[in-house]
Amino acid sequence: MANDLIHSAAAHAIEETAKATAKGIDAVTQGGQYVGSVLGDLPHDLVGFVGDWVKHKRIRRWAGLQAETDKILQARGIGNREEVSPSVAIPLIEAAINEDREVLKQLWAKLLANALDPSRTHFVRVSLIELLKQFDPLDALVLRELTDPKFNNFIPAGGDLAEALAKHLQVDRDDAHLSLERLFELRCLGAAPNDTPRPPVTSKGRALIRAVSD
């Protein structure tokens, strides 16, 4: 009975999304063939109610992702959309439908939109998909600020970068510093935050920001 309800909900969600969104999203997923395996396959230890809950969450997230992506592309006036390689589409969609945190949901929608945008598709690399999967929301916000020239106005000369980020993003200083350390570990920063007051953003970090740009 539970599986029947999930299948019914899945069919309804997909049908309603198809009606609400313009054609083009399904082109990248080969009419849903890519998404089917991503939505359905769960680890063997996730059975019963938990497995159904995760699957249902993925289905609803996929419906939302399509709507968000289509809204971005429509705002740009993109009609002819790029046919994305499965090597990019599959890991991108898999990561996106497993993410439910708002900041990262927005970034995955932008990444998929850019993959479909003929003028930006070359920005979307498989390595950047893997990189974004390792981010927490604050990591993304910190990296965005560090690549924004306007942010320099918030940092006093010789000031504490983590403190400036904490005040600007309204978070705890330790949390901001932890994100700086994580960005260094992921090679998005060229120096550890304890080694220099202004660790530079690497080409890898800038490439990710470019790939998820509006």
Side-chain angles (χ1 to χ4, degrees):
M1 178 64 72
N3 284 337
D4 289 342
L5 291 174
I6 293 297
H7 293 160
S8 177
H12 180 69
I14 293 169
E15 179 183 1
E16 291 304 309
T17 301
K19 293 176 183 177
T21 58
K23 63 181 180 179
I25 301 293
D26 280 345
V28 71
T29 62
Q30 295 294 307
Q33 292 177 35
Y34 301 167
V35 182
S37 61
V38 174
L39 289 174
D41 293 338
L42 292 169
H44 291 299
D45 58 342
L46 287 180
V47 296
F49 176 77
V50 174
D52 288 343
W53 177 80
V54 172
K55 185 174 181 180
H56 198 185
K57 287 278 286 186
R58 287 175 172 175
I59 290 166
R60 287 186 286 130
R61 178 68 195 113
W62 170 236
L65 178 66
Q66 290 184 87
E68 292 158 16
T69 301
D70 193 68
K71 182 178 179 180
I72 293 169
L73 292 171
Q74 284 192 9
R76 294 181 191 171
I78 303 298
N80 296 322
R81 301 175 183 183
E82 189 74 14
E83 183 174 344
V84 184
S85 168
S87 64
V88 172
I90 293 173
L92 199 168
I93 293 167
E94 181 176 22
I97 65 174
N98 281 318
E99 181 56 68
D100 207 29
R101 292 169 291 181
E102 194 59 38
V103 169
L104 296 177
K105 281 169 59 177
Q106 293 174 14
L107 295 185
W108 285 114
K110 291 176 182 178
L111 194 64
L112 180 55
N114 286 342
L116 288 161
D117 186 335
S119 68
R120 304 190 190 198
T121 187
H122 59 287
F123 293 152
V124 181
R125 298 168 176 255
V126 173
S127 60
L128 297 180
I129 296 170
E130 293 303 313
L131 176 60
L132 185 56
K133 285 168 62 175
Q134 301 177 73
F135 271 45
D136 282 314
L138 187 56
D139 303 340
L141 294 175
V142 166
L143 183 60
R144 184 188 65 188
E145 294 301 327
L146 294 177
T147 56
D148 185 350
K150 296 178 182 178
F151 179 66
N152 288 325
N153 298 330
F154 295 93
I155 310 175
D160 184 326
L161 178 58
E163 183 67 29
L165 284 163
K167 289 181 179 179
H168 189 55
L169 296 172
Q170 298 184 332
V171 298
D172 187 82
R173 183 197 176 280
D174 286 344
D175 290 333
H177 192 270
L178 185 61
S179 282
L180 288 171
E181 291 181 331
R182 182 58 176 156
L183 290 171
F184 173 64
E185 292 172 358
L186 294 172
R187 299 185 180 180
C188 292
L189 296 182
N194 290 333
D195 294 341
T196 176
R198 299 285 184 88
V201 178
T202 63
S203 57
K204 185 178 184 180
R206 293 193 299 274
L208 178 60
I209 291 298
R210 185 171 60 242
V212 297
S213 61
D214 292 322

Coordinates of all heavy atoms in Angstrom, one line a residue, residues 99 101-111 128-129 131-148 151 165 168-169 171 175-184 186 188-189 201 204-213:
E99 N 19.6 17.3 -2.2 CA 19.9 18.4 -1.3 C 18.6 19.2 -1.0 O 17.9 19.6 -2.0 CB 20.9 19.4 -2.1 CG 21.3 20.6 -1.3 CD 21.8 20.3 0.0 OE1 22.9 19.7 0.1 OE2 21.1 20.6 1.0
R101 N 18.7 21.9 1.5 CA 19.0 23.1 2.2 C 18.9 24.3 1.2 O 19.5 24.2 0.1 CB 20.4 23.0 2.8 CG 20.5 22.0 4.0 CD 21.9 21.7 4.4 NE 22.6 20.9 3.4 CZ 23.9 20.5 3.6 NH1 24.5 20.8 4.7 NH2 24.5 19.8 2.6
E102 N 18.2 25.3 1.6 CA 17.8 26.4 0.6 C 19.0 27.0 -0.2 O 18.9 27.1 -1.4 CB 17.0 27.4 1.4 CG 16.3 28.4 0.4 CD 15.3 27.6 -0.4 OE1 14.6 26.7 0.1 OE2 15.1 28.0 -1.6
V103 N 20.0 27.4 0.5 CA 21.2 28.0 -0.2 C 21.7 27.1 -1.3 O 21.9 27.5 -2.4 CB 22.3 28.4 0.8 CG1 23.6 28.8 0.0 CG2 21.8 29.5 1.7
L104 N 21.9 25.8 -1.0 CA 22.4 24.9 -1.9 C 21.4 24.5 -3.0 O 21.8 24.2 -4.1 CB 23.0 23.7 -1.2 CG 24.2 24.0 -0.3 CD1 24.6 22.7 0.5 CD2 25.3 24.6 -1.0
K105 N 20.1 24.4 -2.6 CA 19.1 24.2 -3.6 C 19.2 25.2 -4.8 O 19.1 24.9 -5.9 CB 17.7 24.2 -3.0 CG 17.3 22.9 -2.2 CD 16.1 23.1 -1.4 CE 14.9 23.5 -2.2 NZ 13.7 23.6 -1.4
Q106 N 19.3 26.5 -4.4 CA 19.4 27.5 -5.4 C 20.6 27.4 -6.3 O 20.6 27.6 -7.5 CB 19.5 28.9 -4.7 CG 18.2 29.2 -3.9 CD 18.3 30.5 -3.2 OE1 19.3 31.3 -3.3 NE2 17.4 30.8 -2.3
L107 N 21.8 27.0 -5.7 CA 23.0 26.8 -6.5 C 22.9 25.6 -7.5 O 23.3 25.7 -8.6 CB 24.2 26.6 -5.6 CG 24.5 27.8 -4.7 CD1 25.8 27.5 -3.9 CD2 24.7 29.1 -5.5
W108 N 22.2 24.5 -7.0 CA 22.0 23.4 -7.9 C 21.1 23.8 -9.1 O 21.4 23.4 -10.2 CB 21.5 22.2 -7.2 CG 22.5 21.5 -6.3 CD1 22.5 21.4 -5.0 CD2 23.7 20.8 -6.8 NE1 23.7 20.7 -4.5 CE2 24.4 20.4 -5.6 CE3 24.3 20.6 -8.0 CZ2 25.6 19.7 -5.7 CZ3 25.5 19.9 -8.1 CH2 26.1 19.4 -7.0
A109 N 20.1 24.5 -8.8 CA 19.2 25.0 -9.9 C 20.0 25.9 -10.9 O 19.8 25.7 -12.1 CB 18.0 25.7 -9.3
K110 N 20.8 26.7 -10.4 CA 21.6 27.6 -11.3 C 22.6 26.8 -12.1 O 22.8 27.1 -13.2 CB 22.3 28.7 -10.4 CG 21.4 29.7 -9.8 CD 22.1 30.7 -9.0 CE 21.2 31.7 -8.3 NZ 21.9 32.6 -7.4
L111 N 23.2 25.8 -11.4 CA 24.1 24.9 -12.1 C 23.5 24.2 -13.3 O 24.0 24.1 -14.4 CB 24.8 24.0 -11.2 CG 26.0 23.2 -11.6 CD1 27.2 24.2 -11.9 CD2 26.5 22.2 -10.6
L128 N 33.4 20.3 -10.8 CA 32.7 21.3 -10.0 C 31.4 20.7 -9.4 O 31.1 21.2 -8.3 CB 32.4 22.5 -10.9 CG 33.6 23.2 -11.5 CD1 33.1 24.4 -12.3 CD2 34.5 23.7 -10.4
I129 N 30.8 19.8 -10.0 CA 29.7 19.1 -9.4 C 30.1 18.4 -8.1 O 29.5 18.5 -7.1 CB 29.0 18.1 -10.4 CG1 28.4 18.9 -11.6 CG2 27.9 17.3 -9.7 CD1 28.0 18.0 -12.7
L131 N 32.7 19.1 -6.4 CA 33.1 20.1 -5.4 C 31.9 20.6 -4.7 O 32.0 20.7 -3.4 CB 33.9 21.2 -6.1 CG 34.3 22.4 -5.3 CD1 35.2 22.0 -4.2 CD2 34.9 23.5 -6.2
L132 N 30.9 21.0 -5.4 CA 29.7 21.5 -4.7 C 29.0 20.6 -3.8 O 28.5 20.9 -2.7 CB 28.7 22.0 -5.8 CG 27.5 22.8 -5.3 CD1 27.9 24.0 -4.4 CD2 26.6 23.2 -6.4
K133 N 29.1 19.3 -4.1 CA 28.5 18.2 -3.2 C 29.2 18.2 -1.8 O 28.6 17.8 -0.9 CB 28.7 16.9 -3.8 CG 27.8 16.6 -5.0 CD 28.2 15.3 -5.8 CE 28.2 14.1 -4.9 NZ 28.5 12.9 -5.8
Q134 N 30.4 18.8 -1.7 CA 31.1 18.8 -0.4 C 30.9 20.1 0.4 O 31.4 20.2 1.5 CB 32.6 18.6 -0.7 CG 32.9 17.3 -1.4 CD 34.4 17.2 -1.7 OE1 35.2 16.9 -0.8 NE2 34.8 17.3 -3.0
F135 N 30.1 21.0 -0.2 CA 29.8 22.2 0.5 C 28.7 22.2 1.5 O 27.7 21.5 1.3 CB 29.5 23.3 -0.5 CG 30.6 24.0 -1.1 CD1 31.8 23.4 -1.5 CD2 30.6 25.4 -1.3 CE1 32.9 24.1 -2.0 CE2 31.7 26.1 -1.8 CZ 32.8 25.4 -2.2
D136 N 28.9 22.9 2.6 CA 27.7 23.2 3.5 C 27.3 24.6 3.0 O 28.0 25.4 2.4 CB 28.2 23.3 4.9 CG 28.3 21.9 5.5 OD1 27.4 21.1 5.3 OD2 29.3 21.6 6.2
P137 N 26.0 25.0 3.4 CA 25.5 26.3 2.9 C 26.4 27.5 3.3 O 26.7 28.4 2.4 CB 24.2 26.4 3.6 CG 23.7 25.0 3.8 CD 25.0 24.2 4.1
L138 N 27.0 27.5 4.5 CA 27.8 28.7 4.8 C 29.1 28.7 4.0 O 29.6 29.8 3.7 CB 28.2 28.6 6.3 CG 28.9 29.9 6.9 CD1 28.2 31.2 6.6 CD2 29.2 29.7 8.4
D139 N 29.6 27.5 3.6 CA 30.8 27.5 2.8 C 30.5 28.3 1.5 O 31.4 29.0 1.0 CB 31.2 26.1 2.4 CG 31.5 25.2 3.7 OD1 31.7 25.8 4.7 OD2 31.4 24.0 3.6
A140 N 29.4 28.0 0.9 CA 29.0 28.7 -0.4 C 28.8 30.2 -0.2 O 29.3 30.9 -1.0 CB 27.7 28.0 -0.9
L141 N 28.2 30.6 0.9 CA 28.0 32.0 1.2 C 29.4 32.7 1.4 O 29.6 33.8 0.9 CB 27.1 32.2 2.4 CG 25.7 31.7 2.3 CD1 25.0 31.9 3.6 CD2 25.0 32.5 1.2
V142 N 30.3 32.1 2.1 CA 31.6 32.7 2.3 C 32.4 32.8 1.0 O 33.0 33.8 0.7 CB 32.4 31.8 3.3 CG1 33.9 32.2 3.4 CG2 31.8 32.0 4.7
L143 N 32.4 31.7 0.2 CA 33.1 31.8 -1.1 C 32.5 32.9 -2.0 O 33.2 33.6 -2.6 CB 33.0 30.4 -1.8 CG 33.8 30.4 -3.1 CD1 35.3 30.7 -2.9 CD2 33.6 29.0 -3.7
R144 N 31.2 33.0 -2.0 CA 30.6 34.1 -2.8 C 31.0 35.5 -2.3 O 31.3 36.3 -3.2 CB 29.0 34.0 -2.7 CG 28.3 35.0 -3.6 CD 26.8 34.9 -3.3 NE 26.5 35.4 -1.9 CZ 25.3 35.4 -1.3 NH1 24.3 34.8 -1.9 NH2 25.2 35.8 -0.1
E145 N 31.1 35.7 -1.0 CA 31.5 37.0 -0.5 C 33.0 37.2 -0.9 O 33.3 38.4 -1.3 CB 31.3 37.0 1.0 CG 29.9 37.0 1.4 CD 29.1 38.1 0.9 OE1 29.6 39.2 0.7 OE2 27.9 37.9 0.6
L146 N 33.8 36.2 -0.8 CA 35.2 36.4 -1.1 C 35.5 36.7 -2.6 O 36.5 37.3 -2.9 CB 36.0 35.2 -0.7 CG 36.0 34.9 0.8 CD1 36.8 33.6 1.1 CD2 36.7 36.0 1.6
T147 N 34.6 36.4 -3.4 CA 34.7 36.7 -4.9 C 34.0 37.9 -5.3 O 34.1 38.3 -6.5 CB 34.3 35.5 -5.7 OG1 32.9 35.2 -5.4 CG2 35.1 34.2 -5.5
D148 N 33.3 38.6 -4.3 CA 32.6 39.8 -4.6 C 33.5 41.0 -4.3 O 33.8 41.2 -3.1 CB 31.3 39.8 -3.8 CG 30.4 41.0 -4.1 OD1 30.9 41.9 -4.9 OD2 29.3 41.1 -3.7
F151 N 32.8 43.1 -1.3 CA 33.0 42.7 0.1 C 34.2 43.3 0.7 O 34.3 43.5 2.0 CB 33.1 41.2 0.1 CG 33.4 40.6 1.5 CD1 32.4 40.7 2.5 CD2 34.6 40.0 1.9 CE1 32.6 40.2 3.8 CE2 34.8 39.5 3.1 CZ 33.8 39.6 4.1
L165 N 33.4 38.5 8.0 CA 32.4 37.6 7.4 C 31.3 37.3 8.3 O 30.1 37.3 7.9 CB 33.1 36.3 6.9 CG 34.0 36.3 5.7 CD1 34.9 35.1 5.6 CD2 33.2 36.5 4.4
H168 N 29.0 40.3 8.5 CA 28.3 40.6 7.2 C 27.2 39.5 7.0 O 26.2 39.8 6.5 CB 29.3 40.6 6.1 CG 28.7 41.0 4.8 ND1 28.1 42.2 4.6 CD2 28.7 40.4 3.6 CE1 27.7 42.3 3.4 NE2 28.0 41.2 2.7
L169 N 27.5 38.2 7.3 CA 26.6 37.1 7.1 C 25.7 36.8 8.3 O 24.9 35.9 8.3 CB 27.4 35.9 6.7 CG 28.1 36.0 5.4 CD1 29.0 34.8 5.2 CD2 27.2 36.2 4.2
V171 N 26.6 35.5 11.3 CA 26.8 34.1 11.8 C 27.9 34.2 12.9 O 28.5 35.3 13.1 CB 27.3 33.1 10.7 CG1 26.2 33.0 9.7 CG2 28.6 33.6 10.1
D175 N 32.1 29.8 13.2 CA 31.5 29.1 12.0 C 32.1 29.7 10.7 O 32.3 28.9 9.8 CB 29.9 29.3 12.0 CG 29.3 28.5 13.1 OD1 29.8 27.5 13.5 OD2 28.2 29.0 13.6
A176 N 32.2 31.0 10.7 CA 32.9 31.6 9.5 C 34.3 31.1 9.3 O 34.7 30.8 8.2 CB 32.8 33.2 9.6
H177 N 35.0 31.0 10.4 CA 36.4 30.6 10.3 C 36.5 29.1 9.9 O 37.3 28.7 9.1 CB 37.1 30.7 11.7 CG 38.6 30.5 11.6 ND1 39.2 29.3 11.8 CD2 39.6 31.4 11.3 CE1 40.5 29.4 11.6 NE2 40.8 30.7 11.4
L178 N 35.5 28.3 10.3 CA 35.5 26.9 9.9 C 35.2 26.8 8.4 O 35.8 25.9 7.8 CB 34.3 26.2 10.7 CG 34.2 24.7 10.5 CD1 35.5 23.9 10.9 CD2 33.0 24.1 11.3
S179 N 34.4 27.6 7.9 CA 34.1 27.6 6.4 C 35.4 28.0 5.7 O 35.7 27.5 4.6 CB 33.0 28.5 6.1 OG 31.7 27.9 6.4
L180 N 36.1 29.0 6.2 CA 37.4 29.4 5.5 C 38.4 28.2 5.5 O 39.0 27.9 4.5 CB 38.0 30.6 6.3 CG 37.3 31.9 6.1 CD1 37.9 33.0 7.1 CD2 37.4 32.4 4.7
E181 N 38.4 27.5 6.6 CA 39.3 26.3 6.7 C 38.9 25.2 5.7 O 39.7 24.6 5.1 CB 39.3 25.7 8.1 CG 40.0 26.6 9.1 CD 40.0 26.0 10.5 OE1 39.1 25.3 10.9 OE2 41.0 26.3 11.3
R182 N 37.5 25.0 5.6 CA 37.0 24.0 4.7 C 37.3 24.4 3.3 O 37.7 23.5 2.5 CB 35.5 23.9 5.0 CG 34.9 22.8 4.1 CD 35.5 21.5 4.3 NE 34.8 20.4 3.5 CZ 35.4 19.3 3.2 NH1 36.7 19.0 3.5 NH2 34.7 18.4 2.5
L183 N 37.1 25.7 2.9 CA 37.4 26.1 1.6 C 38.9 25.9 1.2 O 39.2 25.6 0.1 CB 37.0 27.6 1.4 CG 35.5 27.8 1.4 CD1 35.2 29.3 1.5 CD2 34.8 27.2 0.2
F184 N 39.8 26.1 2.2 CA 41.2 25.8 2.0 C 41.4 24.3 1.7 O 42.2 24.0 0.8 CB 42.0 26.3 3.2 CG 43.5 25.9 3.1 CD1 44.3 26.4 2.0 CD2 44.0 25.1 4.0 CE1 45.6 26.1 2.0 CE2 45.3 24.7 3.9 CZ 46.2 25.2 2.9
L186 N 39.4 22.3 0.5 CA 38.8 21.9 -0.9 C 39.6 22.6 -2.0 O 39.2 22.5 -3.2 CB 37.3 22.3 -0.9 CG 36.4 21.5 0.0 CD1 35.0 22.0 0.0 CD2 36.4 20.0 -0.4
C188 N 39.8 25.8 -2.7 CA 39.1 27.0 -3.2 C 39.8 28.2 -2.7 O 39.6 29.3 -3.2 CB 37.7 27.0 -2.7 SG 36.7 25.7 -3.5
L189 N 40.7 28.1 -1.7 CA 41.5 29.2 -1.2 C 43.0 28.8 -1.3 O 43.3 27.6 -1.1 CB 41.2 29.5 0.3 CG 39.8 30.0 0.6 CD1 39.7 30.4 2.1 CD2 39.5 31.3 -0.3
V201 N 41.3 33.6 -3.4 CA 40.5 32.6 -4.0 C 41.2 32.0 -5.2 O 41.8 32.7 -6.0 CB 39.1 33.2 -4.4 CG1 38.3 32.1 -5.1 CG2 38.4 33.8 -3.2
K204 N 40.0 27.4 -9.0 CA 39.0 26.4 -8.8 C 37.8 27.0 -8.1 O 36.6 26.8 -8.4 CB 39.5 25.3 -7.9 CG 38.6 24.1 -7.6 CD 39.3 23.1 -6.8 CE 38.4 21.8 -6.6 NZ 39.2 20.8 -5.8
G205 N 38.0 27.9 -7.1 CA 36.9 28.6 -6.4 C 36.2 29.5 -7.3 O 35.0 29.6 -7.3
R206 N 37.0 30.3 -8.1 CA 36.3 31.2 -9.0 C 35.5 30.5 -10.1 O 34.5 31.0 -10.5 CB 37.4 32.1 -9.7 CG 38.1 33.1 -8.7 CD 38.9 34.1 -9.5 NE 39.9 33.5 -10.3 CZ 41.1 33.2 -9.9 NH1 41.5 33.5 -8.6 NH2 42.1 32.7 -10.7
A207 N 36.0 29.3 -10.5 CA 35.3 28.5 -11.6 C 34.0 28.1 -11.0 O 33.0 28.1 -11.8 CB 36.1 27.4 -12.0
L208 N 33.9 27.7 -9.7 CA 32.6 27.2 -9.2 C 31.7 28.4 -9.1 O 30.5 28.2 -9.5 CB 32.9 26.6 -7.8 CG 31.6 26.2 -7.0 CD1 30.9 25.1 -7.8 CD2 31.9 25.7 -5.6
I209 N 32.1 29.5 -8.6 CA 31.2 30.7 -8.6 C 30.7 31.1 -10.0 O 29.5 31.4 -10.1 CB 32.0 31.9 -7.9 CG1 32.2 31.6 -6.4 CG2 31.1 33.2 -8.1 CD1 31.0 31.4 -5.6
R210 N 31.6 31.0 -11.0 CA 31.1 31.3 -12.3 C 30.1 30.3 -12.8 O 29.1 30.6 -13.5 CB 32.4 31.3 -13.3 CG 32.0 31.7 -14.7 CD 33.3 31.9 -15.5 NE 34.1 30.7 -15.6 CZ 35.3 30.5 -15.1 NH1 35.9 31.6 -14.5 NH2 36.0 29.4 -15.2
A211 N 30.3 29.0 -12.4 CA 29.4 28.0 -12.9 C 28.0 28.1 -12.3 O 27.0 27.6 -12.8 CB 30.0 26.6 -12.6
V212 N 27.9 28.7 -11.1 CA 26.6 28.9 -10.4 C 26.1 30.3 -10.5 O 25.2 30.7 -9.7 CB 26.6 28.4 -9.0 CG1 26.9 26.9 -9.0 CG2 27.6 29.1 -8.2
S213 N 26.7 31.1 -11.4 CA 26.3 32.5 -11.4 C 24.9 32.7 -12.1 O 24.4 31.8 -12.8 CB 27.3 33.3 -12.2 OG 27.4 32.8 -13.6

